[in-house]
Amino acid sequence: MATVAESERTLYPYVTGSSVVALKYKDGILMAADMGGSYGSTLRYKSIERLKPVGKHTLLGASGEISDFQEILRYLDELILYDNMWDDGNSLGPKEVHSYLTRVMYNRRNKFNPLWNSLVLGGVKNGQKYLGMVNMIGINFEDNHVATGLGNHLARPILRDEWNENLTFEEGVKLLEKCMRVLLYRDRSAVNKIQISKITEEDCTVFPPFSLKTYWDFSAFKNPTAGAPGSW
Amino acid sequence: MDHNTDISAPHSMGTTIIGVTYNGGVVLGADSRTSTGVYVANRASDKISQLTDNVYVCRSGSAADSQIVSDYVRYFLHQHTIQLGQPATVKVAANLVRLLSYNNKNFLETGLIVGGWDKYEGGQIYGVPLGGTIVQQPFAIGGSGSSYLYGFFDQAWKEGMTKDEAEDLVKKAVSLAIARDGASGGVVRTVIINSEGVTRNFYPGDQLPLWHEELESHNSLLDILGAPEPMSI
């Protein structure tokens, strides 16, 4: 049935980024991702920026194959350029960019040559906050909080429990940090160099990278096999 | 999706290649072993290829793939330089390498490190691993021998080295990788690129430090024993 030549399909990713986590807060969207680029099980690159602004109203975060993400950024540059060239006072908002990316991702999936990414799209336009996700097979949706990869299993339960409509910037950042810390403990491909970014109606800021403190000083950690030698 | 492929096992690539920036330029380094299976087809290869007067590329992985990519990039850069009327920038060279690697990712098996000097940004190093990602870094390592160098560089690398410090670091690193990686060996070649130009250096095994369990080399056991030669009757 496969009429497409074997050489025309992407088989597997090489350099990959791990989870992205994002949530809506009072003034806009907050998004977080670490700066790691893994090469198989090696944590090869530790300064990859996986959160990028797109145009005036949107923030894009990506996990998965970094070369495909870099290519997507080039497609978006062209999209934004043509949008600006209309010079009509209008500009593409997060909803439109999400729609465009969904079409790109789904059409590539149909050709058995996917862009191997899960993308998080957030932004604010005309007072409307928007947060959505699209992945390599074209599944897309919007929600008040989203995550990719292991973040879906580790971060979203925390967000389902603690998110509310009226989070301040400080509360939002603390909540994201809580999620990123869990990912640091429990995701093998996480790297302790994190970027958080926020987008509001007025502007988009990607904050400088920082590292999170981790906590290991528990009595239960000190001699876990005391009662059962050989166990772990 | 193909569930049988082990997606977490990167291809092993015979070679050790390194690119390091210092204050004033870059130093590129590589070993010289080309192997086909267990046989060493070329023990004195030159893996650091010129793309333009001011930009060189370290090649790893499939010898054929890396050569054809660097040949195409050299060809495109030559035309680009004529059109531009001045030397191409390192960034342009690296992006051409990326374009070929990314658009042919299903066919190619080559990891490249592009390094050079231009008047706008000074010395720069760009890594282009399998898949066609492009990453600008203060230093880059690649090839199968690089597995043994992540820890070494984490500890030994520092910002703002001098030219000699940088070259010493590269020499030491390639030599350490050769000591442990069967697919790397031979001599250490380095290329230093800065505003003054390009310098190629060549370091055979006897000019490199000795590591754990390695011994001084001699012409013969007899030299060590100090015994007189047996008389012939």
Side-chain angles (χ1 to χ4, degrees):
Chain A
M1 210 248 98
T3 49
V4 184
E6 271 305 301
S7 59
E8 301 274 316
R9 41 186 300 203
T10 303
L11 299 168
Y12 34 73
Y14 292 100
V15 181
T16 53
S18 73
S19 318
V20 179
V21 188
L23 48 79
K24 282 187 192 166
Y25 76 107
K26 197 159 55 80
D27 305 325
I29 311 289
L30 277 168
M31 205 180 286
D34 68 26
M35 298 188 79
S38 299
Y39 186 73
S41 56
T42 304
L43 303 174
R44 189 168 182 181
Y45 301 106
K46 294 190 181 178
S47 296
I48 305 247
E49 291 198 19
R50 299 195 288 116
L51 302 177
K52 291 280 186 182
V54 175
K56 287 200 292 268
H57 305 285
T58 319
L59 195 52
L60 174 63
S63 66
E65 170 66 50
I66 300 297
S67 65
D68 285 345
F69 174 52
Q70 290 178 340
E71 194 71 359
I72 287 171
L73 290 174
R74 277 161 217 272
Y75 285 144
L76 290 174
D77 269 346
E78 192 184 30
L79 186 73
I80 298 294
L81 180 70
Y82 278 106
D83 185 42
N84 289 337
M85 276 163 61
W86 283 105
D87 198 22
D88 57 1
N90 241 330
S91 51
L92 291 172
K95 243 191 245 277
E96 291 80 51
V97 178
H98 189 199
S99 183
Y100 171 79
L101 285 175
T102 303
R103 288 302 100 216
V104 169
M105 303 297 270
Y106 184 60
N107 274 287
R108 288 285 299 252
R109 166 262 189 196
N110 285 342
K111 295 193 278 198
F112 284 91
N113 184 204
L115 289 161
W116 207 287
N117 296 110
S118 292
L119 303 168
V120 173
L121 248 288
V124 195
K125 192 173 167 206
N126 297 331
Q128 291 269 56
K129 298 192 282 258
Y130 184 89
L131 181 60
M133 206 207 79
V134 56
N135 69 8
M136 66 189 265
I137 55 177
I139 295 197
N140 73 98
F141 53 85
E142 307 168 43
D143 209 333
N144 292 321
H145 45 79
V146 296
T148 67
L150 232 56
N152 273 308
H153 299 101
L154 298 171
R156 292 204 72 197
I158 300 176
L159 293 167
R160 276 185 211 118
D161 212 22
E162 300 186 21
W163 182 87
N164 67 69
E165 286 245 3
N166 299 310
L167 290 169
T168 62
F169 172 70
E170 286 75 23
E171 289 172 331
V173 169
K174 283 235 148 55
L175 192 47
L176 275 183
E177 286 173 346
K178 189 170 185 181
C179 295
M180 295 308 283
R181 186 174 288 111
V182 170
L183 287 167
L184 213 48
Y185 288 137
R186 299 292 182 176
D187 181 358
R188 225 174 71 158
S189 48
V191 142
N192 196 357
K193 195 167 172 195
I194 293 164
Q195 271 192 314
I196 293 191
S197 74
K198 83 164 168 49
I199 184 163
T200 60
E201 182 82 56
E202 294 79 46
D203 62 12
C204 174
T205 320
V206 180
F207 295 105
F210 70 101
S211 287
L212 279 173
K213 270 204 158 50
T214 53
Y215 303 96
W216 304 90
D217 196 12
F218 299 102
S219 59
F221 284 5
K222 301 219 159 90
N223 273 312
T225 61
S231 69
W232 49 271
Chain B
M1 238 195 297
D2 184 2
H3 294 281
N4 291 328
T5 323
D6 181 3
I7 61 168
S8 30
H11 289 60
S12 97
M13 296 194 288
T15 285
T16 306
I17 50 173
I18 302 180
V20 152
T21 57
Y22 70 92
N23 67 3
V26 298
V27 179
L28 301 177
D31 73 309
S32 71
R33 177 172 287 186
T34 304
S35 33
T36 49
V38 291
Y39 177 63
V40 177
N42 185 351
R43 64 180 170 103
S45 0
D46 182 8
K47 303 181 188 182
I48 310 179
S49 303
Q50 184 181 26
L51 294 179
T52 68
D53 288 340
N54 54 318
V55 184
Y56 280 64
V57 62
C58 295
R59 301 180 291 106
S60 77
S62 155
D65 288 350
S66 66
Q67 275 171 9
I68 201 71
V69 168
S70 84
D71 285 350
Y72 268 117
V73 174
R74 188 177 306 120
Y75 169 65
F76 293 138
L77 275 175
H78 185 212
Q79 297 182 319
H80 172 68
T81 305
I82 292 170
Q83 240 186 344
L84 202 60
Q86 59 181 35
T89 58
V90 188
K91 191 178 242 181
V92 166
N95 270 291
L96 284 171
V97 172
R98 176 203 79 93
L99 264 175
L100 285 169
S101 281
Y102 180 75
N103 290 323
N104 296 294
K105 65 160 78 184
N106 291 332
F107 308 106
L108 295 174
E109 191 190 292
T110 173
L112 301 144
I113 297 179
V114 181
W117 184 94
D118 62 48
K119 69 183 187 198
Y120 298 105
E121 303 279 329
Q124 299 142 73
I125 293 284
Y126 293 88
V128 184
L130 251 46
T133 311
I134 183 172
V135 167
Q136 184 181 8
Q137 305 166 84
F139 71 89
I141 56 179
S144 58
S146 67
S147 308
Y148 307 96
L149 297 176
Y150 285 100
F152 175 68
F153 271 91
D154 276 348
Q155 187 225 46
W157 158 263
K158 45 189 175 46
E159 196 74 51
M161 289 187 287
T162 66
K163 178 170 75 120
D164 290 331
E165 285 176 327
E167 210 208 357
D168 277 340
L169 183 66
V170 168
K171 241 171 50 186
K172 198 171 177 189
V174 178
S175 145
L176 278 168
I178 287 174
R180 291 292 184 177
D181 178 29
S184 300
V187 305
V188 178
R189 295 193 196 274
T190 63
V191 172
I192 308 175
I193 313 172
N194 51 36
S195 56
E196 280 136 45
V198 178
T199 316
R200 255 194 186 282
N201 288 319
F202 167 90
Y203 301 101
D206 54 331
Q207 283 179 30
L208 299 168
L210 288 170
W211 305 117
H212 183 51
E213 287 176 322
E214 291 182 342
L215 300 171
E216 288 268 355
S217 55
H218 301 272
N219 278 324
S220 162
L221 171 66
L222 303 172
D223 296 341
I224 310 174
L225 293 178
E229 290 194 8
M231 282 206 311
S232 43
I233 301 166

